[in-house]
Amino acid sequence: MRPDASPLVAALAVGGVLLVGVYLVAVLDRVVGAVVAGAPVRVGGLLAGPVRAAALLLVQRYRGTERFDAPGWALAPALLLGLAAVALGLVPLGPDLVAADPATGFVVFSAAIAFVMIAVFLHGWSPNAVFPLHGAYRYAAQALSFQIPFLLAMLATALPAESLSIVEIVRAQASIWNVVRQPLGLPLYLVVGLAVSFWGPLNLPDGADLAEGTSAEDAGVARLLWQAARAAMLVAVAAMGAAGFLGGWWGPWLPGPVWVLVKSVALLVVLVAAGHLLARIRIERFVVVAWAVLIPLALLNVFIAGAVLL
Amino acid sequence: MRLHDALRWLAADAPVPVFAVAGAGAREAVQRLRLSEELRLVDTPRAGSVLLVAGGIPESLAEPLARVHDALPHPRCTVWWGPESEGIVARFPDSVLVHDDPVGAIVSAHRDLLAGRRRSDPPILPDADPAPWRGVGPYGQGGSGMTGGIPYGRPMAELGPDRDGLRLDVLPVTVGPFFPRFPVGLALDVTLAGDVVVDATVHPNPFVADGSPPLAARPGLAAFVRALAEPVRVAELELARAREHLRWLADALVAHGLPSLGSRVLRLAARVGPGDGASVRDLARTLGWTQVLRWSTAGVGRVAGEDARGIGGPVARAAGAAEDARAEDPAYRALGFAPVLHRGGDAADRWRQRLAEAAQSLDLAARAGDRRAEPRGRVESPRGLLTPESAATTRLLPLLPPLLAGQEWGDAVATLVSLDLDLEEAALVARQVAGAVVG
Amino acid sequence: MGGADPAGAAERVHRGGGVAVTESLLVDALFWLFAVGSVLTGYRVFRTDSMVRAAFYLLASFAGVGGILVLLGAEFLGMVLILMMAGEMLVMAIVMVMYMMNPAGLNPMWMVHQHRVAVAAGVGAFLVLAGLALVADFPDRPNPRPEMATEQLGIELLGDSMLVFQTAGVALLATMIGAVAIASRRGRYGEADEGSQEPPLAPESDARR
């Protein structure tokens, strides 16, 4: 994964991390769910649970809905998974331990986030059915509202680094982490991060009121891929949060990559726990809050970060 | 081939995804399955491997049930749990029949299915094209003009006034009768403009019509139906009321995206006894802690003022109307009963109302001793005033169309859930009325 | 998938320096992939029978152009193009569906008007441009690949042309705020979620639509 390593090695490494991350999200989700439900926590069952559930989905055969859009339906989970991989590939494990460090890393990340709405819309639109389509429309409203605050919160971290490269953003946090320097940043990022990965309280496109919304018609491999892609997106959001706000590889005693891992998992636990404890938010409330509260707060955050810099 | 066998072997130990349809008398039993570790109740038939048909499903729902069945991916099977009698959908040819605990039967049927010892259910309905269209029209696009005629057998959407004063297309759809957030049998014809319900009409109650199963009060409500005609211990009534409220809350939490909290409440509902009011108040504090649930239900589905009068039950009391048949009962008066009230009458007030009432009921049950409520031909059921002529659901259903119109779909579902409709109870009353007229 | 490959390409471009033979082959392969992909998806925009599909084909075509920009060393511009097009195409698809009475854009429809004229114009324009490209005498002065392309772009935008871009930026921001204000819940015609009616045309008449 050093700069001179071949693209193939980098791609394999990102894929491996993604796979482990998805499994981790599935286990975390089950553990937190069992604790919240007051059910017994059986370690063996919880560890094997995701694998068994995945195997069950892999043996299912399914013919699809009436007149569905086959390319779109197949492409959507692959696209979402690919976007998660792009976002994760930008997260450095160490000063020169990163799959890709383009000078415009932040813009690449933004483009990946913007394409999430294409993936979700395609996923909801393709099955030619009511609830998925409804979820797709909903996510369009959600996405157009969350993108500005999400990117502004992330953009503020680029100011102290004076660079759009993610590695530089982490490097600039050597003395003081952004979570201290920009106290507004991380909470904003996490709230909107839930919206980006449509998880928990902001799982509006796949919500229970739509009988799973965009995935209501998914079965078998398609369902497995979509669930995995959602979890991968959550992993990418958590890892990028660790890099952007929690100082990435910086930390005492432990080697850098371990710190990245610890911080990412900590953020993952917060995100997953929020999914089990916070009720679904109304789309209208979310849109109003995003435009009227989150954007001004994120702008304030950027202005303060800029003022400190000057 | 070996990989496939390994997958099947792994899959055999996974919790079985079950799409459950709870017919007459089976609501509580199906809900209890949520706590089973061997099963996982799913929201859409596409996610299920086993279709569980519990209790009696009216014959009029045979076709929707068959469509649900055909939506399950292969390998699939059906487990039929409960009675076989007149007025019930005939059992599907290949289904497994169980009378007692279904979990074992579901798990073993699923294992057989994966091991190839059992054939995957063939479809019931013919897989036919609703309307051939390809090749019609000047460019083969399905009709004349740019957008064609009626390809797929569906006409073009129609324009409707939008709430911003525009005229945009609307989508007429039918939701139900097996939509997991609605009580079984409830179907709505909804016209949607994007996320907004323009118009909603309620289908007639399928449990009332001819060709529906014989009805008896389901276990959770049996005490209240008995109390119409005979003295019943106050402690029994109040415990049943508290449990029914908690079971409602468990479903409502699932609808609000909190299934694991829902399971916690369900466990509590099975466990509570007289005097456990404190644990319900703890639960209310837990739910209120983050304010998110309250924030996302505040102002939703408001039934207040004149609308709330005469409805009775928690819906009216959440709007400040002190309508409670218990206040007229000497046994309750001796206990110093006064109805709990909230003021706003929206969905947030309704769930707080039911939690407060559940806690109050458990306190009452502890203090009631051996007091009995006298039969007066009217009793306060968990949903409101129940008489041989009227049930709360009968009074609530006509409110639905004006209440849902103009709401976003998520809010419409939250509203419906918060009203706690029960078509069976309504049908029980309606049939008695019809019987009395005929008799 | 628009984001995936340009990201890798951008990385290699950024690391520049001694360009290995395999890398230049990879860049060539990516260029042809993006170029042919853009043209093909651009063609499909007109051959598909659904508004939503057309919008997504157009998006794929733009993403390919963005990828080529990245290969040319204009990383920032390429990625911003890809970033902006995602939102724009989605909004375009939804607005088209909203107004066309075609449920979800899934009923097939014919996507072109006056297609003979359009085909002729398209082919003509292509021939003229391609001819120009072949005939014209382009200067042959290869510049060194800029190491800090983004920074140079920033200095260009915010140095000499700062006033122009700042003015445009403020105007756009004002437009956005205005658009949001008009579309917000408390709009011209009252609360948006309580239904609204236009005021009557003549002040004294109460006749509404």
Side-chain angles (χ1 to χ4, degrees), chain A residues 17-81:
Chain A
V17 172
L18 213 55
L19 198 66
V20 174
V22 168
Y23 176 71
L24 187 69
V25 170
V27 172
L28 270 180
D29 196 43
R30 282 171 160 78
V31 171
V32 176
V35 171
V36 171
V41 179
R42 286 189 234 293
V43 179
L46 289 170
L47 288 180
V51 181
R52 287 178 182 150
L56 182 56
L57 287 175
L58 284 173
V59 298
Q60 282 185 351
R61 297 185 310 282
Y62 178 50
R63 285 187 48 205
T65 51
E66 179 200 337
R67 305 266 184 243
F68 58 97
D69 187 78
W73 210 352
L75 183 64
L79 180 58
L80 190 61
L81 210 53

Side-chain angles (χ1 to χ4, degrees), chain A residues 234-294:
Chain A
L234 197 71
V235 171
V237 165
M240 191 52 94
F245 296 94
L246 295 181
W249 65 74
W250 299 109
W253 311 304
L254 298 174
V258 179
W259 271 117
V260 176
L261 214 67
V262 169
K263 290 167 184 173
S264 307
V265 172
L267 286 187
L268 262 186
V269 171
V270 171
L271 292 172
V272 168
H276 285 281
L277 294 173
L278 303 181
R280 173 170 47 80
I281 292 170
R282 297 170 57 204
I283 176 79
E284 191 202 331
R285 284 273 155 88
F286 174 74
V287 169
V288 169
V289 166
W291 286 99
V293 181
L294 297 182

